[in-house]
Amino acid sequence: MEILAFGVQADEKPLIERAFAGHHEIRCLDVFLNQDTAPIAAGYEVICTSVNCDLDNRVLQTLAAGGTQMVAQRSTGFNNIDLKVAERLAMTVARVSYYSPYSVAEFAWTLAMAVNRRVVRASIRTRDFDFRLDGLMGRDLHGRTAGVLGTGKIGEAFARIAHGFGMKLLGWDIAENPACLELGMSYVPKEQLLAESDLVSLHVPLMPATQRLIDADALKTMRDDAILVNSSRGGLIDTAALVTELRAGRFTGVGLDVYEAEAGLFFLDKSLEAIADDTLARLVTFPNVLVTSHQAYYTEDAVGQIVDATVRNVLDYKAGRRSENVLVPRS
């Protein structure tokens, strides 16, 4: 069987091809799945997608009409897939429920440290042989407070690093993580966490209950000199409201690896095009903001685990097995 993979990055392609070798043939495309590209999948029983692919009602209808019976998503998140439509079409959907939490947690800290110590500004200056320190002063994080919204595997890994810095830990989640409690984390209401934290990092999934979890009111609750980091999902933050607060001169730094309207932008080269998204265009102009293109997961270790899990999902589908990765089972 030949599988069609959408949205495959250049670094990712050899890992995917090597993982599927000896099992199934795979054709890798760098284009993302959407309404325009869905017809390409005609004749493929199994397709493989990334988080920035669009699997809405129309796309899934096109896939089903072309004979696709299984979607293997190469990510933990699946908010880009209409699961109810997939179930109605008797289409199996699986994701990767687990991969290295350290990849995302470590990158979240990379963003936090970069904005705190003005690393990007310093790098740009030294390239021009400007070695002044004006405007580069940061803060010690030792002794300050880290607020972790979402204390699952990634949030726990982030908290462990914060503990290593000697920070006080505040957490917010629907359930307390015993490992985080052992680190000395105190679970508090979201409003208290935002008001008392010097550093706030988001590690919750995107769902209706968490959509724009950090809205205008939440942003106003935060300290003026706080650092905000989001390496989870862009839809967790009301970006327009964030721009409003940044224009008012608030926050020491903001590190964003995700953006709520990133589909059609992230993972693509738009350097020669005019960006129609005024919010994003304004966001990247702030000197205390660092935006990266959804790369927190992008390590050899994490991508390797993602690809291996995707292969297992396809093999399970063909064998009629069901694992914890299945979102819509085979009918």
Side-chain angles (χ1 to χ4, degrees):
M1 179 180 68
E2 186 178 32
I3 299 164
L4 183 63
F6 286 93
V8 177
Q9 304 299 309
D11 297 332
E12 187 184 19
K13 184 178 179 181
L15 296 177
I16 292 177
E17 292 176 339
R18 186 160 57 244
F20 273 97
H23 299 293
H24 298 288
E25 295 182 16
I26 188 158
R27 177 187 175 196
C28 294
L29 303 179
D30 58 2
V31 298
F32 292 97
L33 176 63
N34 53 40
Q35 188 178 4
D36 294 328
T37 60
I40 301 174
Y44 287 90
E45 179 183 347
V46 176
I47 65 166
C48 186
T49 57
S50 70
V51 72
N52 269 9
C53 290
D54 182 8
L55 288 88
D56 62 9
N57 177 43
R58 293 175 299 177
V59 171
L60 289 171
Q61 293 279 3
T62 301
L63 292 175
T68 299
Q69 299 178 35
M70 195 250 183
V71 174
Q73 174 105 328
R74 304 189 309 278
S75 71
T76 298
F78 53 89
N79 54 287
N80 60 318
I81 307 173
D82 192 326
L83 298 181
K84 292 183 179 179
V85 173
E87 183 176 13
R88 188 170 70 245
L89 295 171
M91 188 177 294
T92 301
V93 180
R95 60 156 179 169
V96 177
S97 59
Y98 174 85
Y99 61 85
S100 169
Y102 309 108
S103 60
V104 179
E106 291 171 4
F107 194 81
W109 269 104
T110 300
L111 292 175
M113 294 303 295
V115 296
N116 178 40
R117 301 305 301 269
R118 323 294 186 189
V119 173
V120 175
R121 184 186 299 178
S123 176
I124 292 172
R125 281 187 184 179
T126 55
R127 284 176 179 269
D128 292 331
F129 297 98
D130 179 354
F131 300 105
R132 292 172 300 160
L133 297 182
D134 297 345
L136 301 183
M137 184 174 288
R139 296 181 297 173
D140 288 1
L141 293 178
H142 177 84
R144 287 189 161 84
T145 300
V148 187
L149 291 165
T151 57
K153 293 182 176 65
I154 297 174
E156 177 189 332
F158 183 90
R160 289 188 182 279
I161 299 172
H163 180 70
F165 272 100
M167 300 186 75
K168 176 183 176 181
L169 296 173
L170 296 180
W172 176 85
D173 209 326
I174 58 174
E176 297 181 353
N177 184 334
C180 290
L181 292 172
E182 290 182 6
L183 294 173
M185 176 178 285
S186 298
Y187 280 84
V188 297
K190 183 184 75 172
E191 292 73 18
Q192 181 181 346
L193 182 150
L194 295 175
E196 297 181 4
S197 297
D198 299 286
L199 165 62
V200 175
S201 191
L202 307 183
H203 301 287
V204 298
L206 180 61
M207 55 184 65
T210 60
Q211 184 76 36
R212 294 193 169 179
L213 181 71
I214 305 299
D215 56 13
D217 290 338
L219 289 166
K220 292 184 184 301
T221 303
M222 295 176 63
R223 294 181 175 182
D224 288 345
D225 61 353
I227 294 172
L228 174 63
V229 173
N230 186 12
S231 58
S232 184
R233 287 292 180 269
L236 298 175
I237 295 179
D238 183 337
T239 315
L242 176 60
V243 168
T244 298
E245 297 303 313
L246 288 165
R247 289 180 62 188
R250 300 189 65 224
F251 305 134
T252 290
V254 175
L256 304 175
D257 185 51
V258 287
Y259 174 61
E260 59 181 332
E262 69 182 53
L265 291 172
F266 282 20
F267 303 146
L268 300 172
D269 181 2
K270 296 291 183 177
S271 60
L272 298 179
E273 301 178 25
I275 299 299
D277 189 327
D278 291 339
T279 302
L280 178 61
R282 182 68 178 94
L283 189 64
V284 299
T285 65
F286 291 104
N288 58 334
V289 174
L290 174 57
V291 178
T292 53
S293 54
H294 207 140
Q295 69 182 78
Y297 78 99
Y298 207 53
T299 66
E300 292 180 5
D301 310 83
V303 173
Q305 292 169 11
I306 290 169
V307 171
D308 289 343
T310 301
V311 172
R312 290 195 300 272
N313 288 342
V314 174
L315 296 178
D316 285 346
Y317 159 78
K318 293 299 290 184
R321 297 187 297 263
R322 181 176 177 178
S323 73
E324 71 280 359
N325 289 341
V326 175
L327 299 169
V328 180
R330 186 173 188 174
S331 59

